[in-house]
Amino acid sequence: MIENIFIFAVSFFLIFKGATLSTKYAFNIARSYKLSKYVVGFIIVSVISIIPEVFISVNSAIEKVPSLGLGALFGGNIADMTLVFAIIIFVSGRGIKVDSKILKENVLYPLFLIIPIFLGLDGFYSRLEGLTLIVAGIIFYYLALRNNKEDTYTTEVPIDNNTRRRDMLLFLLTISLLIIGSHFIVTSAVILSNYLGVNQSMIGIIIIGVGTTMPELFFCLSAVKKNHDSLAVGDILGTVLADATIVVGLLALISPFAFPQKIIYSTGIFMILSSFLLFYFMRSGKFVSKKESYFLFLFWLLFVFVEIVVSR
């Protein structure tokens, strides 16, 4: 058990260091290609940071327990939109600014999250439904990239190709720290939960779900510390959308699967409610305040309580 606690601590450090360094190189890439902070977070960082979820979901499909991966995806999304936002605001000591452009480009965001819930009402995802989810995710990412016209980085210093390639390589290396750290922090958390006698049905939705939000959490903490709120908001929203559409779609494409419908009617519904609550707060003055972060945290606690009751 001591060895497992040590692995947990080392994994935590890898995630923290990877998030700190990846923020630096993400900005270099944005400046190089004149991408907006929001697009860097929404597309580049978020797509790469879902790799741990992809591995967990694919492994769960191979092991014939796809509902574990699905629960982890939905549970992680709820944690991202509530717990992660609350922690970021609490640690930074200030609210999160939300650019008008983000609100404008994400008017239909909650509706996209409804798609996997609607398709899964019967407790089954087919390959066709999986393909539909992947296409929906790609469409949303395309629209986000197409509308990248403002809030770009400019620099008076020319950036040569060698510098750009170096920044990309270092960015990928630091993201790999996030991936490795998130993998081991999840596996060690599972061992700890088994040792403590935590209900196994809760591992996917709460333990693994929260564990896989670590890359987003530390990346966003680093970004907000440098007053780059758009990068943090884009990372969280992009990760949630990718998990709910593209990753779930990949699960179904690999192996169509049935799952307990309570995942849809409890976890899935909470995911939708989380998105509407978060966007309501973001639109209120284009700012998520410290007071609103308390509501997000309480909402996550309510979700955990309901999941515990439902699992019994």
Side-chain angles (χ1 to χ4, degrees), residues 201-225:
S201 64
M202 303 299 294
I203 292 179
I205 294 175
I206 297 180
I207 304 298
I208 297 179
V210 172
T212 55
T213 66
M214 291 297 103
E216 297 94 85
L217 173 60
F218 286 108
F219 182 89
C220 292
L221 283 173
S222 298
V224 170
K225 184 179 179 180

PDB file of all heavy atoms in Angstrom, residues 201-225:
ATOM      1  N   SER A 201     -18.912  -0.281  -8.338  1.00  0.00           N
ATOM      2  CA  SER A 201     -19.707   0.373  -9.378  1.00  0.00           C
ATOM      3  C   SER A 201     -19.463   1.875  -9.441  1.00  0.00           C
ATOM      4  O   SER A 201     -19.811   2.527 -10.425  1.00  0.00           O
ATOM      5  CB  SER A 201     -21.198   0.107  -9.144  1.00  0.00           C
ATOM      6  OG  SER A 201     -21.620   0.697  -7.933  1.00  0.00           O
ATOM      7  N   MET A 202     -18.862   2.418  -8.379  1.00  0.00           N
ATOM      8  CA  MET A 202     -18.611   3.845  -8.330  1.00  0.00           C
ATOM      9  C   MET A 202     -17.245   4.211  -8.914  1.00  0.00           C
ATOM     10  O   MET A 202     -16.967   5.385  -9.132  1.00  0.00           O
ATOM     11  CB  MET A 202     -18.681   4.337  -6.876  1.00  0.00           C
ATOM     12  CG  MET A 202     -19.995   4.044  -6.184  1.00  0.00           C
ATOM     13  SD  MET A 202     -21.375   4.852  -7.023  1.00  0.00           S
ATOM     14  CE  MET A 202     -20.969   6.551  -6.738  1.00  0.00           C
ATOM     15  N   ILE A 203     -16.390   3.233  -9.136  1.00  0.00           N
ATOM     16  CA  ILE A 203     -15.025   3.518  -9.589  1.00  0.00           C
ATOM     17  C   ILE A 203     -15.027   4.255 -10.918  1.00  0.00           C
ATOM     18  O   ILE A 203     -14.362   5.281 -11.077  1.00  0.00           O
ATOM     19  CB  ILE A 203     -14.197   2.228  -9.686  1.00  0.00           C
ATOM     20  CG1 ILE A 203     -13.955   1.659  -8.289  1.00  0.00           C
ATOM     21  CG2 ILE A 203     -12.865   2.499 -10.388  1.00  0.00           C
ATOM     22  CD1 ILE A 203     -13.173   0.363  -8.286  1.00  0.00           C
ATOM     23  N   GLY A 204     -15.759   3.721 -11.904  1.00  0.00           N
ATOM     24  CA  GLY A 204     -15.756   4.342 -13.221  1.00  0.00           C
ATOM     25  C   GLY A 204     -16.305   5.748 -13.209  1.00  0.00           C
ATOM     26  O   GLY A 204     -15.709   6.674 -13.770  1.00  0.00           O
ATOM     27  N   ILE A 205     -17.464   5.942 -12.550  1.00  0.00           N
ATOM     28  CA  ILE A 205     -18.154   7.224 -12.598  1.00  0.00           C
ATOM     29  C   ILE A 205     -17.465   8.293 -11.762  1.00  0.00           C
ATOM     30  O   ILE A 205     -17.354   9.454 -12.186  1.00  0.00           O
ATOM     31  CB  ILE A 205     -19.622   7.053 -12.146  1.00  0.00           C
ATOM     32  CG1 ILE A 205     -20.380   6.188 -13.168  1.00  0.00           C
ATOM     33  CG2 ILE A 205     -20.311   8.397 -11.989  1.00  0.00           C
ATOM     34  CD1 ILE A 205     -21.794   5.853 -12.750  1.00  0.00           C
ATOM     35  N   ILE A 206     -16.976   7.925 -10.575  1.00  0.00           N
ATOM     36  CA  ILE A 206     -16.421   8.939  -9.674  1.00  0.00           C
ATOM     37  C   ILE A 206     -14.898   8.873  -9.575  1.00  0.00           C
ATOM     38  O   ILE A 206     -14.206   9.848  -9.860  1.00  0.00           O
ATOM     39  CB  ILE A 206     -17.054   8.817  -8.270  1.00  0.00           C
ATOM     40  CG1 ILE A 206     -18.563   9.082  -8.362  1.00  0.00           C
ATOM     41  CG2 ILE A 206     -16.398   9.808  -7.311  1.00  0.00           C
ATOM     42  CD1 ILE A 206     -19.287   8.980  -7.045  1.00  0.00           C
ATOM     43  N   ILE A 207     -14.340   7.701  -9.205  1.00  0.00           N
ATOM     44  CA  ILE A 207     -12.888   7.615  -8.994  1.00  0.00           C
ATOM     45  C   ILE A 207     -12.124   7.865 -10.287  1.00  0.00           C
ATOM     46  O   ILE A 207     -11.296   8.779 -10.387  1.00  0.00           O
ATOM     47  CB  ILE A 207     -12.496   6.246  -8.407  1.00  0.00           C
ATOM     48  CG1 ILE A 207     -13.254   5.964  -7.109  1.00  0.00           C
ATOM     49  CG2 ILE A 207     -10.984   6.196  -8.188  1.00  0.00           C
ATOM     50  CD1 ILE A 207     -12.965   6.945  -6.007  1.00  0.00           C
ATOM     51  N   ILE A 208     -12.406   7.051 -11.323  1.00  0.00           N
ATOM     52  CA  ILE A 208     -11.697   7.221 -12.599  1.00  0.00           C
ATOM     53  C   ILE A 208     -12.123   8.520 -13.276  1.00  0.00           C
ATOM     54  O   ILE A 208     -11.316   9.224 -13.873  1.00  0.00           O
ATOM     55  CB  ILE A 208     -11.951   6.019 -13.522  1.00  0.00           C
ATOM     56  CG1 ILE A 208     -11.374   4.747 -12.884  1.00  0.00           C
ATOM     57  CG2 ILE A 208     -11.321   6.251 -14.899  1.00  0.00           C
ATOM     58  CD1 ILE A 208     -11.594   3.504 -13.708  1.00  0.00           C
ATOM     59  N   GLY A 209     -13.432   8.847 -13.176  1.00  0.00           N
ATOM     60  CA  GLY A 209     -13.921  10.077 -13.792  1.00  0.00           C
ATOM     61  C   GLY A 209     -13.191  11.301 -13.287  1.00  0.00           C
ATOM     62  O   GLY A 209     -12.751  12.145 -14.062  1.00  0.00           O
ATOM     63  N   VAL A 210     -13.038  11.400 -11.962  1.00  0.00           N
ATOM     64  CA  VAL A 210     -12.321  12.536 -11.376  1.00  0.00           C
ATOM     65  C   VAL A 210     -10.825  12.444 -11.695  1.00  0.00           C
ATOM     66  O   VAL A 210     -10.175  13.443 -11.991  1.00  0.00           O
ATOM     67  CB  VAL A 210     -12.542  12.597  -9.855  1.00  0.00           C
ATOM     68  CG1 VAL A 210     -11.639  13.660  -9.217  1.00  0.00           C
ATOM     69  CG2 VAL A 210     -14.003  12.895  -9.545  1.00  0.00           C
ATOM     70  N   GLY A 211     -10.270  11.220 -11.651  1.00  0.00           N
ATOM     71  CA  GLY A 211      -8.842  11.042 -11.934  1.00  0.00           C
ATOM     72  C   GLY A 211      -8.443  11.535 -13.303  1.00  0.00           C
ATOM     73  O   GLY A 211      -7.384  12.154 -13.474  1.00  0.00           O
ATOM     74  N   THR A 212      -9.305  11.301 -14.305  1.00  0.00           N
ATOM     75  CA  THR A 212      -8.965  11.711 -15.665  1.00  0.00           C
ATOM     76  C   THR A 212      -9.124  13.209 -15.900  1.00  0.00           C
ATOM     77  O   THR A 212      -8.780  13.704 -16.979  1.00  0.00           O
ATOM     78  CB  THR A 212      -9.823  10.946 -16.696  1.00  0.00           C
ATOM     79  OG1 THR A 212     -11.215  11.129 -16.389  1.00  0.00           O
ATOM     80  CG2 THR A 212      -9.498   9.468 -16.686  1.00  0.00           C
ATOM     81  N   THR A 213      -9.646  13.945 -14.909  1.00  0.00           N
ATOM     82  CA  THR A 213      -9.730  15.400 -15.060  1.00  0.00           C
ATOM     83  C   THR A 213      -8.452  16.104 -14.600  1.00  0.00           C
ATOM     84  O   THR A 213      -8.332  17.320 -14.759  1.00  0.00           O
ATOM     85  CB  THR A 213     -10.909  15.979 -14.231  1.00  0.00           C
ATOM     86  OG1 THR A 213     -10.647  15.794 -12.829  1.00  0.00           O
ATOM     87  CG2 THR A 213     -12.220  15.318 -14.601  1.00  0.00           C
ATOM     88  N   MET A 214      -7.506  15.345 -14.059  1.00  0.00           N
ATOM     89  CA  MET A 214      -6.278  15.953 -13.547  1.00  0.00           C
ATOM     90  C   MET A 214      -5.506  16.742 -14.606  1.00  0.00           C
ATOM     91  O   MET A 214      -5.029  17.856 -14.328  1.00  0.00           O
ATOM     92  CB  MET A 214      -5.378  14.880 -12.923  1.00  0.00           C
ATOM     93  CG  MET A 214      -5.898  14.259 -11.632  1.00  0.00           C
ATOM     94  SD  MET A 214      -6.061  15.435 -10.265  1.00  0.00           S
ATOM     95  CE  MET A 214      -7.847  15.707 -10.281  1.00  0.00           C
ATOM     96  N   PRO A 215      -5.356  16.223 -15.839  1.00  0.00           N
ATOM     97  CA  PRO A 215      -4.637  17.030 -16.845  1.00  0.00           C
ATOM     98  C   PRO A 215      -5.308  18.371 -17.086  1.00  0.00           C
ATOM     99  O   PRO A 215      -4.635  19.409 -17.147  1.00  0.00           O
ATOM    100  CB  PRO A 215      -4.688  16.145 -18.101  1.00  0.00           C
ATOM    101  CG  PRO A 215      -4.814  14.760 -17.564  1.00  0.00           C
ATOM    102  CD  PRO A 215      -5.676  14.872 -16.353  1.00  0.00           C
ATOM    103  N   GLU A 216      -6.650  18.379 -17.221  1.00  0.00           N
ATOM    104  CA  GLU A 216      -7.365  19.626 -17.434  1.00  0.00           C
ATOM    105  C   GLU A 216      -7.202  20.563 -16.236  1.00  0.00           C
ATOM    106  O   GLU A 216      -6.986  21.764 -16.400  1.00  0.00           O
ATOM    107  CB  GLU A 216      -8.860  19.381 -17.672  1.00  0.00           C
ATOM    108  CG  GLU A 216      -9.181  18.584 -18.920  1.00  0.00           C
ATOM    109  CD  GLU A 216      -9.313  17.108 -18.613  1.00  0.00           C
ATOM    110  OE1 GLU A 216     -10.390  16.673 -18.222  1.00  0.00           O
ATOM    111  OE2 GLU A 216      -8.295  16.381 -18.785  1.00  0.00           O
ATOM    112  N   LEU A 217      -7.308  19.997 -15.042  1.00  0.00           N
ATOM    113  CA  LEU A 217      -7.229  20.820 -13.832  1.00  0.00           C
ATOM    114  C   LEU A 217      -5.904  21.563 -13.740  1.00  0.00           C
ATOM    115  O   LEU A 217      -5.875  22.789 -13.579  1.00  0.00           O
ATOM    116  CB  LEU A 217      -7.427  19.946 -12.588  1.00  0.00           C
ATOM    117  CG  LEU A 217      -7.213  20.646 -11.238  1.00  0.00           C
ATOM    118  CD1 LEU A 217      -8.187  21.810 -11.074  1.00  0.00           C
ATOM    119  CD2 LEU A 217      -7.352  19.648 -10.094  1.00  0.00           C
ATOM    120  N   PHE A 218      -4.785  20.836 -13.859  1.00  0.00           N
ATOM    121  CA  PHE A 218      -3.492  21.471 -13.687  1.00  0.00           C
ATOM    122  C   PHE A 218      -3.119  22.354 -14.874  1.00  0.00           C
ATOM    123  O   PHE A 218      -2.456  23.380 -14.702  1.00  0.00           O
ATOM    124  CB  PHE A 218      -2.417  20.415 -13.420  1.00  0.00           C
ATOM    125  CG  PHE A 218      -2.500  19.840 -12.045  1.00  0.00           C
ATOM    126  CD1 PHE A 218      -2.956  18.546 -11.840  1.00  0.00           C
ATOM    127  CD2 PHE A 218      -2.151  20.593 -10.945  1.00  0.00           C
ATOM    128  CE1 PHE A 218      -3.048  18.021 -10.568  1.00  0.00           C
ATOM    129  CE2 PHE A 218      -2.243  20.081  -9.665  1.00  0.00           C
ATOM    130  CZ  PHE A 218      -2.694  18.783  -9.476  1.00  0.00           C
ATOM    131  N   PHE A 219      -3.532  21.959 -16.067  1.00  0.00           N
ATOM    132  CA  PHE A 219      -3.281  22.820 -17.223  1.00  0.00           C
ATOM    133  C   PHE A 219      -4.020  24.146 -17.046  1.00  0.00           C
ATOM    134  O   PHE A 219      -3.465  25.227 -17.272  1.00  0.00           O
ATOM    135  CB  PHE A 219      -3.739  22.131 -18.510  1.00  0.00           C
ATOM    136  CG  PHE A 219      -3.475  22.944 -19.745  1.00  0.00           C
ATOM    137  CD1 PHE A 219      -2.269  22.826 -20.418  1.00  0.00           C
ATOM    138  CD2 PHE A 219      -4.415  23.835 -20.228  1.00  0.00           C
ATOM    139  CE1 PHE A 219      -2.005  23.592 -21.547  1.00  0.00           C
ATOM    140  CE2 PHE A 219      -4.168  24.597 -21.349  1.00  0.00           C
ATOM    141  CZ  PHE A 219      -2.962  24.475 -22.016  1.00  0.00           C
ATOM    142  N   CYS A 220      -5.285  24.072 -16.613  1.00  0.00           N
ATOM    143  CA  CYS A 220      -6.087  25.283 -16.451  1.00  0.00           C
ATOM    144  C   CYS A 220      -5.572  26.147 -15.305  1.00  0.00           C
ATOM    145  O   CYS A 220      -5.610  27.380 -15.382  1.00  0.00           O
ATOM    146  CB  CYS A 220      -7.551  24.912 -16.216  1.00  0.00           C
ATOM    147  SG  CYS A 220      -8.355  24.184 -17.658  1.00  0.00           S
ATOM    148  N   LEU A 221      -5.110  25.526 -14.230  1.00  0.00           N
ATOM    149  CA  LEU A 221      -4.541  26.291 -13.125  1.00  0.00           C
ATOM    150  C   LEU A 221      -3.332  27.104 -13.602  1.00  0.00           C
ATOM    151  O   LEU A 221      -3.175  28.276 -13.236  1.00  0.00           O
ATOM    152  CB  LEU A 221      -4.122  25.357 -11.986  1.00  0.00           C
ATOM    153  CG  LEU A 221      -5.242  24.817 -11.091  1.00  0.00           C
ATOM    154  CD1 LEU A 221      -4.690  23.777 -10.126  1.00  0.00           C
ATOM    155  CD2 LEU A 221      -5.916  25.948 -10.328  1.00  0.00           C
ATOM    156  N   SER A 222      -2.493  26.467 -14.426  1.00  0.00           N
ATOM    157  CA  SER A 222      -1.317  27.164 -14.955  1.00  0.00           C
ATOM    158  C   SER A 222      -1.735  28.311 -15.869  1.00  0.00           C
ATOM    159  O   SER A 222      -1.166  29.402 -15.821  1.00  0.00           O
ATOM    160  CB  SER A 222      -0.425  26.181 -15.718  1.00  0.00           C
ATOM    161  OG  SER A 222       0.049  25.169 -14.867  1.00  0.00           O
ATOM    162  N   ALA A 223      -2.744  28.073 -16.700  1.00  0.00           N
ATOM    163  CA  ALA A 223      -3.200  29.099 -17.637  1.00  0.00           C
ATOM    164  C   ALA A 223      -3.821  30.279 -16.907  1.00  0.00           C
ATOM    165  O   ALA A 223      -3.524  31.441 -17.202  1.00  0.00           O
ATOM    166  CB  ALA A 223      -4.203  28.489 -18.618  1.00  0.00           C
ATOM    167  N   VAL A 224      -4.695  29.996 -15.952  1.00  0.00           N
ATOM    168  CA  VAL A 224      -5.370  31.064 -15.210  1.00  0.00           C
ATOM    169  C   VAL A 224      -4.376  31.873 -14.393  1.00  0.00           C
ATOM    170  O   VAL A 224      -4.515  33.087 -14.237  1.00  0.00           O
ATOM    171  CB  VAL A 224      -6.469  30.468 -14.301  1.00  0.00           C
ATOM    172  CG1 VAL A 224      -7.018  31.526 -13.347  1.00  0.00           C
ATOM    173  CG2 VAL A 224      -7.599  29.894 -15.156  1.00  0.00           C
ATOM    174  N   LYS A 225      -3.354  31.208 -13.874  1.00  0.00           N
ATOM    175  CA  LYS A 225      -2.319  31.901 -13.101  1.00  0.00           C
ATOM    176  C   LYS A 225      -1.647  32.977 -13.940  1.00  0.00           C
ATOM    177  O   LYS A 225      -1.212  34.013 -13.423  1.00  0.00           O
ATOM    178  CB  LYS A 225      -1.282  30.886 -12.610  1.00  0.00           C
ATOM    179  CG  LYS A 225      -0.203  31.473 -11.724  1.00  0.00           C
ATOM    180  CD  LYS A 225       0.771  30.411 -11.252  1.00  0.00           C
ATOM    181  CE  LYS A 225       1.861  31.013 -10.372  1.00  0.00           C
ATOM    182  NZ  LYS A 225       2.826  29.968  -9.914  1.00  0.00           N
TER     183      LYS A 225
END
